[in-house]
Amino acid sequence: MQLTDTFKRVKQASKRLSLLTDEQRNEILLAVSQAIMQQQQRILDANAQDLAKMEKTNPLYDRLQLTESRLEGIAADMRNVASLPSPLGHVTKAKTLPNGLRLCRVSVPFGVIGMIYEARPNVTFDVFSLCFKSGNACVLKGGKDADCSNREEVALIHEVLEQHGISKDVVALLPATHEATGEMLNAVGYIDLCIPRGGRKLIDFVRDTARVPVIETGAGVVHTYFDKEGDLEMGRNIICNAKTRRVSVCNALDTLLVHKDREADIPQLLAPMQGKVTFYYNDESLYDTEFMDYKMNVVTVASLEEALAHIDQHGSGHSESIITMNEQTARIFQSHVDAACVYWNAPTSFTDGAQFGLGAEIGISTQKLGPRGPMALEEITTYKWLIEGEGQVRA
């Protein structure tokens, strides 16, 4: 493995990172947040180099682009993470056995978290802030589309770490190559958890290839069901926001399901998006499509049961929503739908760690084993048992 030395350094740095106090971690996060704002031009210049290599019509262009306002949001999220309680040292279970042994289960870092992501330079800062706050070192593997941006961001983080006497090895950025991905996925003994964040192709590759533990995130074929008792004005606003707020993100709406009794209302439901979004009607070839673009499938269904069956077959377990004024219908929908986040009269655009009050997010888990939904500080810690005795021995 060509990157073994890098992995070793990060693993060693993770041990030292666990010795920092929460106050020290917060001080460094605030310093990085300040550096982002003071040196935003160097980040924007690097990002401009990446953007120049991508067509503006590419659905990933929006994800790739950094602006002053987006950097302000990233810096604010980092300050927010610093303000949150530490996820470490929490006693989640405690008991004394009949033999007098005292047991407690306490939250601790994973150690080293590997992150694989595509054209998302914001993820570099988000992952660093969450990992650092939770006592984890991180190995980052970005895509080639965002390589200039990622390298400038990590350089800035390294500068702040060194100014505070912290090893820069607590965060490492790998080359933007397929070979580096392969080495990360085989870094047994060095990387304790790997999280892929991107499209279905990337996630499938990581899951099928990795020899290190993996949590799947990201891919979202998202539905909203407009029920026969849905409010028209509410529906217009929710659907428009879910589809058009940011089309390239994983919580964006892909398929609108409409009860046949409200078929005549479809033009009004779609009116705010006319001229901006391309609509497809009952196109079965697109049922499994995550558009990541100004495109949306509109499908009519005969009943709630048919809507649920459609989501069962074509959903990805990410985010689903129902618009209805009937509470019983909504509760049936929320109970039946098997997804990380299930909404009633609200857009799926809220599936986000910051929106959930978790600070930033490292990804949105679509699996059931372990964390599910937005993953933040608590979700990237594990635990260990501490046992105290007075010389007891087992019979």
Side-chain angles (χ1 to χ4, degrees):
M1 292 176 65
Q2 300 300 313
L3 296 172
T4 299
D5 287 344
T6 297
F7 297 144
K8 284 182 178 178
R9 290 197 302 271
V10 177
K11 189 69 172 180
Q12 291 168 356
S14 73
K15 303 295 185 182
R16 299 191 294 272
L17 181 57
S18 64
L19 301 177
L20 296 180
T21 66
D22 190 49
E23 289 73 19
Q24 289 173 308
R25 295 190 189 99
N26 293 340
E27 180 184 1
I28 291 168
L29 290 178
L30 292 174
V32 174
S33 173
Q34 185 178 36
I36 292 171
M37 298 311 300
Q38 290 177 341
Q39 303 188 50
Q40 59 180 294
Q41 193 56 52
R42 63 186 271 198
I43 300 173
L44 293 175
D45 289 345
N47 185 240
Q49 295 179 50
D50 290 326
L51 291 170
K53 303 171 189 174
M54 181 179 288
E55 295 291 335
K56 290 186 177 182
T57 55
N58 190 320
L60 295 178
Y61 190 90
D62 179 63
R63 280 184 174 178
L64 177 61
Q65 186 172 35
L66 293 174
T67 63
E68 289 186 13
S69 62
R70 287 184 179 180
L71 287 176
E72 289 171 4
I74 289 169
D77 284 344
M78 192 170 292
R79 292 193 296 272
N80 189 26
V81 170
S83 73
L84 295 173
S86 172
L88 302 176
H90 294 177
V91 176
T92 57
K93 188 172 290 187
K95 62 192 304 185
T96 301
L97 301 181
N99 63 6
L101 283 178
R102 298 180 298 278
L103 282 66
C104 72
R105 193 175 72 184
V106 60
S107 57
V108 297
F110 270 99
V112 178
I113 293 179
M115 190 79 191
I116 303 176
Y117 52 109
E118 296 171 327
R120 308 171 186 223
N122 63 297
V123 172
T124 299
F125 284 127
D126 289 347
V127 172
F128 166 73
S129 65
L130 289 169
C131 285
F132 195 79
K133 174 77 175 184
S134 59
N136 292 291
C138 56
V139 176
L140 308 176
K141 167 56 182 68
K144 65 180 185 303
D145 290 329
D147 195 47
C148 294
S149 304
N150 292 335
R151 299 213 167 275
E152 197 62 44
E153 291 171 356
V154 171
L156 184 148
I157 293 170
H158 282 169
E159 290 167 12
V160 174
L161 289 171
E162 291 183 321
Q163 289 166 8
H164 287 77
I166 305 298
S167 170
K168 66 180 183 180
D169 290 326
V170 299
V171 52
L173 179 64
L174 302 185
T177 64
H178 293 301
E179 291 76 15
T181 300
E183 292 199 42
M184 174 188 279
L185 298 180
N186 285 278
V188 176
Y190 300 114
I191 292 182
D192 299 290
L193 175 66
C194 181
I195 304 172
R197 185 167 170 178
R200 172 52 57 190
K201 184 177 179 181
L202 170 65
I203 293 169
D204 287 346
F205 173 78
V206 171
R207 183 192 60 238
D208 296 341
T209 307
R211 294 177 58 227
V212 298
V214 171
I215 293 179
E216 296 181 37
T217 74
V221 179
V222 175
H223 303 81
T224 292
Y225 169 54
F226 187 75
D227 183 54
K228 63 180 179 180
E229 296 181 67
D231 181 86
L232 182 58
E233 186 60 28
M234 180 189 293
R236 284 160 53 100
N237 294 332
I238 289 174
I239 293 164
C240 183
N241 185 259
K243 177 69 251 183
T244 65
R245 180 190 165 271
R246 286 190 69 184
V247 296
S248 63
V249 293
C250 56
N251 59 28
L253 178 59
D254 296 297
T255 297
L256 172 64
L257 305 171
V258 180
H259 193 284
K260 65 178 180 60
D261 290 355
R262 303 299 297 273
E263 192 169 6
D265 291 321
I266 289 177
Q268 293 188 64
L269 287 172
L270 305 183
M273 299 178 285
Q274 290 290 349
K276 178 180 285 189
V277 176
T278 299
F279 302 109
Y280 304 90
Y281 295 92
N282 299 303
D283 189 335
E284 294 184 20
S285 68
L286 299 175
Y287 282 1
D288 298 305
T289 300
E290 181 183 14
F291 288 107
M292 299 171 61
D293 201 351
Y294 286 98
K295 299 176 181 178
M296 188 175 78
N297 208 5
V298 182
V299 179
T300 54
V301 293
S303 62
L304 169 64
E305 290 71 24
E306 189 175 327
L308 292 172
H310 183 103
I311 293 172
D312 281 347
Q313 184 173 355
H314 304 287
S316 61
H318 193 292
S319 300
E320 311 288 0
S321 180
I322 182 173
I323 301 168
T324 184
M325 302 308 292
N326 187 311
E327 181 176 355
Q328 182 179 4
T329 300
R331 296 305 180 198
I332 292 172
F333 182 91
Q334 289 188 306
S335 176
H336 181 97
V337 168
D338 185 12
C341 302
V342 187
Y343 294 82
W344 173 23
N345 288 343
T348 54
S349 51
F350 280 109
T351 301
D352 177 86
Q355 293 296 313
F356 278 24
L358 305 176
E361 71 181 31
I362 202 166
I364 298 171
S365 171
T366 55
Q367 66 184 44
K368 298 181 183 180
L369 184 62
R372 198 178 194 192
M375 295 173 57
L377 294 172
E378 182 180 337
E379 288 74 26
I380 53 174
T381 62
T382 183
Y383 60 80
K384 63 182 175 184
W385 288 92
L386 304 179
I387 305 95
E388 298 178 2
E390 288 84 23
Q392 295 93 327
V393 295
R394 183 173 176 178

